[in-house]
Amino acid sequence: MTTTTKVILGLVGAAAVGAAVGMLLAPEKGSDLRKNIKDSAGKWSDKLSDMWQNGKKTAEKASSRIQTEM
């Protein structure tokens, strides 16, 4: 794993832990907290999926450009 990958994974992990601790310490009813966690997880999933698709498209474009230049 490269240093950049380690840093990115560390930041994502720290953000996830921070969000979880913040939700657990929030003065909300349990049912409201579970709903918020479910909604947040869905949003994170959608964002990660979009990021993955964008990265995949970028990699395919770069690969195509390299192949045409050779």
Side-chain angles (χ1 to χ4, degrees):
M1 232 189 284
T2 66
T3 304
T4 304
T5 304
K6 290 179 185 178
V7 169
I8 291 171
L9 288 175
L11 289 173
V12 169
V17 170
V21 169
M23 287 182 168
L24 291 174
L25 296 177
E28 294 183 49
K29 291 184 353 183
S31 58
D32 292 338
L33 178 61
R34 286 189 297 273
K35 183 180 181 299
N36 287 342
I37 290 171
K38 181 181 174 186
D39 293 343
S40 295
K43 289 177 185 177
W44 273 80
S45 175
D46 292 343
K47 286 181 183 180
L48 288 174
S49 178
D50 290 343
M51 289 173 60
W52 178 262
Q53 292 300 324
N54 289 337
K56 187 176 173 183
K57 287 178 185 177
T58 302
E60 289 172 352
K61 286 179 184 178
S63 174
S64 176
R65 260 189 264 146
I66 289 171
Q67 288 177 354
T68 57
E69 289 178 4
M70 292 184 160

